[in-house]
Amino acid sequence: MRRRNCLGSRALMALVFLFLYAPIFLLIVFSFNKGNSNIVWTGFSLDWYKSLFQNRLIMRSVYTTLLVSLLATAIATMAGTFAAIGFYSLRRRTRTALNTVNSIPMMNADIVTGVAMCLFFVAFFTFWGDFSVWFNGVQSVVVLPERLTLGFGTLLIAHVTFNIPYVILSVGPKLRQMDKNLVDAAQDLGCTWMQAFWKVILPEIKPGIASGALTAFTMSVDDFIISYFTAGSSSSTLAMTIYGMTKKRVTPEINAISTLLFVTVLVLLVVVNLREARAERTGQERHPVSQKLTQMLDTPKGRLFRRGAAVVLAASFLIAVVLLTGATNAQPVVNVCSWGEYIEEDLITQFEEETGIIVNYQTAESNEALYSLLKSGAGDYDVIVPSDYMISQLIEEDMLAELDYDQIPNYGLISDRFKGLTYDPEERYSVPYAWGTVGIIYNAAMVEEPITSWSAMFDTQYAGNVLMFRNSRDAMGIALAYLGYSLNTTDEAELREAFQLLKDAKEQGVYQSFVMDEIFQKLEGGNAAIGAYYAGDYLTMLENNEDLAFVVPEEGSNWFMDAMCVLKDAPHYNEAMAWINFIASTEANLANMDYLWYASPNQEALEQYPAYYEELYEEELGQETYDIIAAPQEVLDRCEAYLVLPLETRKLYNDLWTELGI
Amino acid sequence: MSKELIRLRDLCMAYDDELVLDHLNLYINDKEFLTLLGPSGCGKSTTLRIIGGFTAPLSGDVLFDGVRINDVPPYKRQINTVFQKYALFPHLNVFENVAFGLRMQRRPDPSDPKRNTKLPEEEIRQRVLEMLEAVSLKGFENRRTDALSGGQQQRVAIARALVNRPKVLLLDEPLGALDLKLRKDMQIELKRIQQQVGITFIYVTHDQEEALTMSDTIVVMDKGTIQQIGTPEDIYNEPKNAFVADFIGESNIIDGVMVQDKLVQMYGRQFPCLDGGFSENEPVDVVIRPEDIDIVPVEQGQLTGTVTNVTFKGMQYDIIVDFRGFKWLIQTTDHSPVGARIGIKIDPDGIHVMKKSRYSGLYGDYSSFSDEYDELDTVEPEEGGDEA
């Protein structure tokens, strides 16, 4: 009886561990995959690690992460230690109450902390703006900056804030374990309180401080949510960068960096636990090497050395921090917010080398997400790349700055077809970035005959195999196109009809799920047969699954234009102009077109691309492929661009979308 | 005992509105072994902490050699302390623990009297080793303190305090954590060390036996006030009130009336005694130590009672005897069976008469003691027999 129980519970335990660690194990294994698939193993290689270290976006965020974690750890450890000593000397009842208050932030949902801090900072900046304007007005000795933004400073403050409770939590027990007569004894033997602190309290609670600092550091490196809300546009931690990268698809590069992050945190945790375990084994002799070292450092000379080393370390750390933050502040900067994997990254390096302007490159998930970020005041970007209809809306709400086209000579290279479109008829606010069409991507091996119509998106014969857009505009757009209505209709009856179509299909189980960039994984892996998405992305998927096919349905579809705009009050206006001009150049457009598989609005680039491709890959670019990237005019004629909808209609969209319950 | 060294004048202290010291006055002589004795919460440790400078009194003065030292911080007082549970520094070895105070000391530089200098390393080393030898810990210098036994830790703590050559050593229940045998040895050891270094020891304990063994002077305290000051013999033989009588040793305390000098009446019977100085027919408390009572045949007894309990203690029997509902403890070498009627006889020098005090009627009855034994007797072994 007992034996079997034992076996059963062991099996259960093995299962639990399998469940816990199998995903991480898989991630680690595929970080060494030669190919770029997460499903098919094609051989061992370290290529992804190599490319990781060449990826400037990642390296910069590693640097930011380390800097913010180290600084936050140092500050939080100091503050937390003194706070713990303060708590300790309080009366018991007050202390218990304070400890509870202290542990609430740790229990609190990160997202609440993050949002609250973001709100607080933004509110403070507003107040600060008013104050500094007044202050600079009444005197001229000190000039205060009038515009503060989220950035490294706020990120650091946030990290310090959420780290302090962990330090208090690990130092507090050490203090309580300490014989409370120790301080009295030190004073009795000739110490002032301060001397007693250094000579007796500090050595006693050192293990607590060390494990508090390690925990804080781990938490800092680990954190995503709070950083996401407080970093603003100019800094990005590693976790944020990884998140940005996953928006498109999980590349083996992400596996590699995640593996490194996992290993780092694992090592830190092991160190913390070993320390604690060692501390518990009281009376046990210390490791001979560390004992020897301690003895050496305990001689008068050693003590001098130790003190000197500590001073030098602290000083060089401070100097490094000052230099680093100073250096980044002195350099011109431009903050760009675009979409995930929506730029050839070499262009950023090239631009930085040519102009000396540092590019802080961030990504948003969708037009709607970008819009709410801007509205909350947290996104203090210079350049954004919204889509057509969103541009109209931003212009309508007076959120964009007029561009200085004199500084953007490359605007002349933009094809006349793409100038003065409905979203910006007077050509005052935008420079086109890329365009494309929406169509159906399907797995030819999983359907019986080629798909030509949107009807496939509502057809119960494909139930459970269809992927639909997870945003109201595109999803409703498909239904409207299928019904033969305008994508920009404001007629409630037409909209409700389209909605009913979607709803019925959903209830009949047509849709496997509603997705955005997850579609890459699903279609590439053959987990779904049909999905609606962007033409350029189809070509990326095709590289990993040759069975995929693309069609712009006969009923017509959406064609979209993403264009670069500058936000009103952008802090780096001239740098923004330089960036836009650089990206509008033919060379940049060619590089981007090749990387994105989205069509360029630059006439020269459009014409030169087949030759560019041939030179680069030493093979011809088929006309069919080219037509998918840059849809020919007869396809565009069937398509319709989105226009900004009246508020009433937007509200209806919202209500219907909510009713659909995605 | 020579001149006065420390004087406490009108000390008051309270924690959370609870009075801990109530207008305490006390002087302590140089080279004296003085013990503050009392139950927990009596204010003895607080008094010690005030002398050490760790706690400031609410009101009153602390004088050292005639100088008021209320505002002198502990690290400037010529006083060192051996703490409860020793408070050795866990991160330092035995040598460094003992050297700690010396390393903190500064004295004028011989070459430049305006500057202060540390003690030379050689002097520190020599003094520490000497002190370790004095407490029989030679060769333990490099041990970690948590690798020592309780008694050894105790001696490190004493060495650490004495190496600074203080004028006064404060000891806060230093033997509380040791087992009985070790405690007895350390009592003798402490007394020896005190006589050897020839300084004042102020010792705090709740153990009356410890106090009697070591002290020159005992200060019995209760509820923040001093109940009696005296030599161990005075305190034992001539307790001032029922509290002291009960706290020091075992006592039967009986209501009585002082008929006249040298004649006290208990249980309606008159007993000759040696005390005097009371008014006629004044109600008094009478103390009779259990060892001063002789058991005699009933017809010869001044009083007669029934044995309710007998406990064998090795050297003697502890017998509880009921005298008309009031239970006495008698220590005797003769065995009397439970239930026997016995007579007792008390010599005049076995009777000590005290004035009535706030403690009258609270102590000296062994009813609860015997009840306890009675209950134990009635417990039958119940789980016998039903298992193989």
Side-chain angles (χ1 to χ4, degrees):
Chain A
M1 273 299 263
R2 205 166 268 179
R3 259 195 85 79
R4 219 174 57 194
N5 268 344
C6 180
L7 213 69
S9 67
R10 269 191 206 171
L12 189 68
M13 181 125 109
L15 258 175
V16 167
F17 276 102
L18 188 74
F19 209 68
L20 280 175
Y21 285 100
I24 295 172
F25 180 72
L26 203 68
L27 178 140
I28 293 175
V29 166
F30 276 95
S31 74
F32 294 106
N33 193 4
K34 203 170 205 162
N36 70 352
S37 167
N38 278 318
I39 300 143
V40 188
W41 176 259
T42 46
F44 179 87
S45 98
L46 288 171
D47 290 352
W48 297 109
Y49 287 88
K50 229 183 286 167
S51 85
L52 190 67
F53 286 103
Q54 286 158 359
N55 185 326
R56 48 173 301 291
L57 209 62
I58 291 181
M59 285 337 270
R60 182 168 298 166
S61 56
V62 166
Y63 166 76
T64 307
T65 306
L66 286 181
L67 190 66
V68 79
S69 305
L70 284 173
L71 276 176
T73 303
I75 298 170
T77 304
M78 240 182 301
T81 303
F82 282 108
I85 292 172
F87 281 18
Y88 172 68
S89 58
L90 289 172
R91 289 225 206 122
R92 202 184 149 79
R93 197 179 302 166
T94 329
R95 190 176 66 208
T96 318
L98 274 174
N99 274 331
T100 313
V101 172
N102 177 53
S103 51
I104 289 171
M106 290 186 286
M107 304 296 176
N108 196 9
D110 278 3
I111 189 126
V112 176
T113 311
V115 170
M117 284 199 161
C118 176
L119 288 179
F120 173 78
F121 286 134
V122 171
F124 173 75
F125 292 160
T126 314
F127 162 79
W128 174 263
D130 296 345
F131 170 76
S132 58
V133 166
W134 168 82
F135 188 76
N136 291 340
V138 296
Q139 54 87 54
S140 53
V141 187
V142 186
V143 180
L144 295 176
E146 286 173 12
R147 191 159 182 275
L148 296 178
T149 54
L150 293 175
F152 188 80
T154 46
L155 182 66
L156 181 61
I157 293 173
H159 276 239
V160 169
T161 313
F162 74 72
N163 276 340
I164 286 179
Y166 291 100
V167 178
I168 295 180
L169 194 73
S170 84
V171 174
K174 284 281 166 229
L175 279 166
R176 279 193 298 275
Q177 277 166 27
M178 187 177 79
D179 183 346
K180 61 181 188 299
N181 280 329
L182 279 186
V183 181
D184 283 345
Q187 286 186 282
D188 184 73
L189 293 167
C191 288
T192 61
W193 193 91
M194 229 26 221
Q195 286 172 319
F197 171 77
W198 287 108
K199 286 180 180 291
V200 176
I201 301 181
L202 204 59
E204 267 306 277
I205 60 176
K206 212 158 57 180
I209 296 176
S211 61
L214 274 170
T215 314
F217 187 73
T218 316
M219 289 293 156
S220 262
V221 171
D222 234 17
D223 177 68
F224 165 69
I225 297 174
I226 297 175
S227 303
Y228 183 76
F229 283 99
T230 53
S233 55
S234 53
S235 352
S236 170
T237 66
L238 187 55
M240 288 165 70
T241 305
I242 293 176
Y243 176 70
M245 288 165 73
T246 54
K247 280 176 193 162
K248 257 303 195 256
R249 51 209 301 278
V250 179
T251 66
E253 210 173 17
I254 296 172
N255 291 350
I257 186 69
S258 304
T259 302
L260 290 183
L261 189 60
F262 173 75
V263 169
T264 312
V265 172
L266 188 73
V267 166
L268 285 172
L269 277 178
V270 167
V271 170
V272 172
N273 283 328
L274 279 185
R275 285 192 69 94
E276 271 164 16
R278 199 176 59 192
E280 268 164 34
R281 275 181 278 136
T282 45
Q284 187 129 346
E285 286 301 315
R286 278 186 273 176
H287 191 271
V289 177
S290 86
Q291 205 173 17
K292 181 103 191 209
L293 208 68
T294 319
Q295 270 172 13
M296 259 163 59
L297 288 174
D298 235 10
T299 61
K301 236 185 218 167
R303 245 172 274 144
L304 206 68
F305 169 79
R306 211 163 47 172
R307 207 165 292 169
V311 169
V312 169
L313 252 174
S316 52
F317 185 67
L318 268 180
I319 290 168
V321 167
V322 169
L323 280 181
L324 287 171
T325 47
T328 45
N329 279 345
Q331 258 178 311
V333 175
V334 60
N335 299 330
V336 180
C337 185
S338 180
W339 317 121
E341 295 206 13
Y342 208 47
I343 191 167
E344 164 60 66
E345 280 184 13
D346 291 346
L347 289 173
I348 298 178
T349 323
Q350 204 185 328
F351 175 75
E352 288 183 336
E353 280 167 7
E354 277 176 24
T355 61
I357 299 169
I358 298 281
V359 182
N360 290 314
Y361 190 86
Q362 308 251 309
T363 59
E365 191 184 354
S366 65
N367 280 296
E368 287 67 26
L370 174 68
Y371 177 76
S372 56
L373 200 63
L374 295 176
K375 273 290 173 191
S376 77
D380 56 320
Y381 307 110
D382 299 307
V383 181
I384 53 175
V385 195
S387 304
D388 32 38
Y389 69 101
M390 186 50 66
I391 297 176
S392 317
Q393 192 177 334
L394 292 173
I395 293 173
E396 205 171 87
E397 296 186 19
D398 197 21
M399 289 168 75
L400 297 183
E402 289 200 21
L403 303 184
D404 178 5
Y405 286 95
D406 290 344
Q407 291 191 53
I408 314 173
N410 286 338
Y411 185 65
L413 300 169
I414 304 291
S415 166
D416 285 338
R417 290 198 281 160
F418 304 121
K419 283 184 181 172
L421 294 174
T422 39
Y423 59 83
D424 183 14
E426 292 164 45
E427 301 177 45
R428 282 160 61 194
Y429 296 101
S430 62
V431 173
Y433 183 86
W435 59 276
T437 52
V438 171
I440 296 177
I441 304 168
Y442 63 95
N443 191 324
M446 292 171 78
V447 295
E448 278 162 20
E449 54 193 34
I451 286 171
T452 55
S453 161
W454 285 121
S455 63
M457 295 296 290
F458 307 100
D459 193 340
T460 47
Q461 99 171 277
Y462 303 120
N465 270 320
V466 181
L467 302 170
M468 180 51 103
F469 271 108
R470 196 178 59 225
N471 77 62
S472 55
R473 193 76 205 253
D474 284 318
M476 288 285 283
I478 288 169
L480 287 168
Y482 174 59
L483 293 169
Y485 300 134
S486 162
L487 301 184
N488 297 307
T489 183
T490 56
D491 184 308
E492 191 172 333
E494 290 179 2
L495 287 167
R496 286 203 178 275
E497 196 184 338
F499 166 71
Q500 199 55 48
L501 192 62
L502 277 173
K503 194 177 174 198
D504 290 346
K506 185 184 177 229
E507 280 165 5
Q508 286 157 4
V510 172
Y511 304 124
Q512 186 182 92
S513 55
F514 287 72
V515 295
M516 289 304 288
D517 283 332
E518 304 95 290
I519 197 171
F520 282 86
Q521 299 270 26
K522 301 218 172 202
L523 285 179
E524 284 175 14
N527 296 327
I530 299 172
Y533 222 59
Y534 307 105
D537 295 328
Y538 157 68
L539 291 171
T540 310
M541 293 181 212
L542 186 63
E543 289 184 341
N544 289 312
N545 188 338
E546 289 178 354
D547 291 336
L548 295 177
F550 179 79
V551 64
V552 176
E554 59 204 12
E555 296 95 342
S557 180
N558 163 240
W559 84 274
F560 60 87
M561 173 67 80
D562 289 344
M564 294 179 278
C565 301
V566 173
L567 283 171
K568 205 157 199 166
D569 300 325
H572 314 102
Y573 184 82
N574 289 329
E575 290 85 350
M577 294 302 125
W579 170 256
I580 291 174
N581 188 49
F582 175 81
I583 292 296
S585 71
T586 304
E587 295 73 37
N589 268 283
L590 278 170
N592 259 343
M593 192 163 165
D594 184 58
Y595 179 77
L596 303 176
W597 302 110
Y598 279 39
S600 159
N602 178 308
Q603 189 58 40
E604 285 181 17
L606 275 177
E607 285 162 8
Q608 293 170 16
Y609 183 66
Y612 179 87
Y613 182 90
E614 220 175 302
E615 197 180 326
L616 206 63
Y617 300 102
E618 291 173 348
E619 65 177 51
E620 209 179 319
L621 178 73
Q623 184 62 38
E624 205 179 315
T625 312
Y626 184 80
D627 284 351
I628 288 172
I629 301 173
Q633 196 56 44
E634 73 260 22
V635 173
L636 283 188
D637 286 345
R638 294 192 243 146
C639 295
E640 196 179 0
Y642 289 138
L643 298 176
V644 65
L645 298 168
L647 190 65
E648 217 175 293
T649 311
R650 292 210 299 263
K651 199 170 166 303
L652 181 62
Y653 262 84
N654 244 334
D655 293 346
L656 293 176
W657 191 246
T658 312
E659 197 185 326
L660 197 58
I662 305 305
Chain B
M1 301 302 143
S2 48
K3 64 175 185 95
E4 169 187 320
L5 185 66
I6 292 175
R7 178 172 283 270
L8 307 178
R9 200 155 57 196
D10 234 13
L11 284 186
C12 288
M13 188 65 203
Y15 295 119
D16 298 337
D17 302 328
E18 197 183 318
L19 207 58
V20 185
L21 292 183
D22 187 2
H23 297 278
L24 186 103
N25 284 286
L26 178 68
Y27 69 88
I28 299 158
N29 285 328
D30 199 10
K31 298 188 175 54
E32 179 176 26
F33 197 124
L34 178 132
T35 300
L36 300 173
L37 174 67
S40 63
C42 73
K44 57 189 192 301
S45 283
T46 305
T47 310
L48 199 77
R49 290 181 62 81
I50 288 173
I51 299 172
F54 309 115
T55 304
L58 221 52
S59 65
D61 298 318
V62 183
L63 303 179
F64 189 89
D65 243 351
V67 184
R68 186 174 180 274
I69 57 163
N70 282 39
D71 305 319
V72 178
Y75 57 91
K76 285 189 180 158
R77 298 189 182 192
Q78 288 172 297
I79 297 171
N80 283 113
T81 311
V82 175
F83 291 91
Q84 222 166 13
K85 295 188 213 137
Y86 328 130
L88 298 179
F89 304 130
H91 63 290
L92 299 176
N93 63 18
V94 170
F95 183 93
E96 287 301 324
N97 258 286
V98 179
F100 192 93
L102 297 178
R103 292 204 193 286
M104 296 308 301
Q105 274 184 31
R106 299 289 181 273
R107 64 183 170 205
D109 195 331
S111 57
D112 178 6
K114 272 179 227 148
R115 282 185 49 211
N116 282 336
T117 172
K118 293 182 180 183
L119 302 191
E121 191 61 28
E122 189 42 47
E123 181 184 338
I124 292 177
R125 191 170 172 73
Q126 201 184 328
R127 278 171 68 176
V128 171
L129 291 180
E130 260 170 34
M131 191 46 69
L132 284 176
E133 192 167 0
V135 296
S136 324
L137 280 178
K138 201 178 168 188
F140 284 71
E141 299 88 42
N142 293 323
R143 292 281 195 94
R144 286 169 57 107
T145 54
D146 51 16
L148 299 180
S149 72
Q152 288 165 335
Q153 290 186 22
Q154 173 67 67
R155 281 179 284 170
V156 175
I158 292 167
R160 183 178 71 175
L162 286 179
V163 78
N164 304 293
R165 298 178 184 156
K167 288 209 169 160
V168 178
L169 185 70
L170 309 180
L171 301 103
D172 189 2
E173 308 232 8
L175 307 183
L178 303 182
D179 61 49
L180 186 65
K181 176 81 172 61
L182 201 54
R183 210 182 314 170
K184 298 239 181 218
D185 294 344
M186 280 307 291
Q187 287 170 12
I188 297 160
E189 179 83 0
L190 269 177
K191 187 71 191 168
R192 180 187 68 76
I193 293 172
Q194 193 252 342
Q195 278 159 357
Q196 189 186 327
V197 294
I199 60 168
T200 308
F201 274 34
I202 304 176
Y203 192 96
V204 161
T205 184
H206 65 267
D207 183 331
Q208 43 103 5
E209 193 202 320
E210 220 167 86
L212 294 174
T213 311
M214 294 190 286
S215 317
D216 299 320
T217 308
I218 294 176
V219 179
V220 184
M221 293 178 68
D222 185 51
K223 297 196 171 77
T225 53
I226 293 174
Q227 302 300 326
Q228 188 169 3
I229 305 176
T231 63
E233 290 84 354
D234 287 346
I235 300 269
Y236 188 84
N237 294 330
E238 310 281 328
K240 274 217 177 117
N241 58 34
F243 174 80
V244 179
D246 179 73
F247 198 77
I248 312 287
E250 299 288 351
S251 308
N252 301 297
I253 303 170
I254 301 111
D255 272 338
V257 174
M258 206 64 187
V259 183
Q260 61 186 69
D261 277 358
K262 302 192 179 179
L263 195 63
V264 66
Q265 179 178 313
M266 296 178 282
Y267 291 96
R269 221 175 242 273
Q270 293 187 345
F271 292 80
C273 63
L274 304 177
D275 301 277
F278 297 86
S279 349
E280 258 182 48
N281 292 325
E282 181 180 340
V284 290
D285 286 333
V286 182
V287 180
I288 301 158
R289 297 286 183 187
E291 68 271 19
D292 293 337
I293 303 166
D294 295 324
I295 294 179
V296 293
V298 177
E299 54 279 12
Q300 293 171 25
Q302 288 166 304
L303 288 169
T304 55
T306 316
V307 177
T308 61
N309 194 289
V310 180
T311 316
F312 179 59
K313 281 294 175 72
M315 279 180 54
Q316 86 273 345
Y317 294 96
D318 280 5
I319 299 177
I320 306 295
V321 184
D322 189 333
F323 293 102
R324 300 188 209 161
F326 195 93
K327 294 190 175 173
W328 295 33
L329 172 68
I330 299 170
Q331 291 173 339
T332 168
T333 49
D334 302 323
H335 179 75
S336 305
V338 173
R341 291 287 294 174
I342 55 166
I344 57 162
K345 196 170 161 301
I346 309 160
D347 288 339
D349 64 357
I351 293 176
H352 172 63
V353 183
M354 309 180 298
K355 282 194 185 288
K356 283 279 181 194
S357 69
R358 59 197 272 221
Y359 297 104
S360 300
L362 294 178
Y363 305 105
D365 174 20
Y366 285 86
S367 302
S368 57
F369 178 90
S370 57
D371 281 344
E372 234 175 78
Y373 276 91
D374 287 344
E375 276 167 29
L376 284 175
D377 283 348
T378 56
V379 173
E380 296 291 328
E382 278 169 14
E383 63 270 71
D386 55 6
E387 245 174 289

